Amino acid sequence: LPEFLETPSWIYYTSLSQGFENFQKELVSYVKANPEIKVTFNPATYQLKSGLANLRNILEVTFVIFMNLEESKRLLGISEKENTDVKTLHKKVFELGPKITVITDGANGSTVFDGEKFYSLGLYDTPIVDRTGVGDSFATGFIAALFYGMDISEALKWGTINASGVIQKIGAQEGLMTKGEIENVLASNPTFTQ
């Protein structure tokens, strides 16, 4: 087996229902005992509804957190109607523990904060057929780029390109791209920055 399959190095933690707290407690203990593991966290509706107090332990060991704009406000207890600057949201989420915060905002693209620098990228212009799975496909593309040693700017492109493949198909898995396919799209569009 390839080395990265022999020793887990990334965990993608998302959507669990009632009773997630027990699993999460075990996950946090496991990660603390194995600090080489990087946790990526995409809190789902039930987890966000449970409140920040139930998420603090996982946030403290999270390497990358993925949320859309509304979810970031929900996590922080801010009304969705409140017009809060996205940089403020990033800083407040970052203070909870994640090393990298990623906030997607539909047609406005996505933004990232690493504690020092903000990054942003618009959408890759593609027809929209179905939005199912677009967040997860963005996250997997982003994480894959980091896995392959790329910087955050490149990870944003990988996430956006991977999501653009899924958004053109029906369902959450059709349109997911391989490393080579993402690289081909980027090579064909060397000026992609918006």
Side-chain angles (χ1 to χ4, degrees), residues 59-70:
L59 292 169
E60 290 171 0
V61 298
T62 294
F63 187 69
V64 184
I65 187 167
F66 294 94
M67 294 180 291
N68 64 37
L69 186 68
E70 294 77 20

Side-chain angles (χ1 to χ4, degrees), residues 67-77 89 93 103:
M67 294 180 291
N68 64 37
L69 186 68
E70 294 77 20
E71 290 167 340
S72 67
K73 289 181 176 182
R74 210 171 303 141
L75 174 71
L76 296 167
L89 295 173
V93 173
I103 299 176

Side-chain angles (χ1 to χ4, degrees), residues 14-21 46-47:
T14 190
S15 194
L16 292 180
S17 59
Q18 191 171 5
F20 76 89
E21 298 89 349
Y46 189 86
Q47 292 160 314

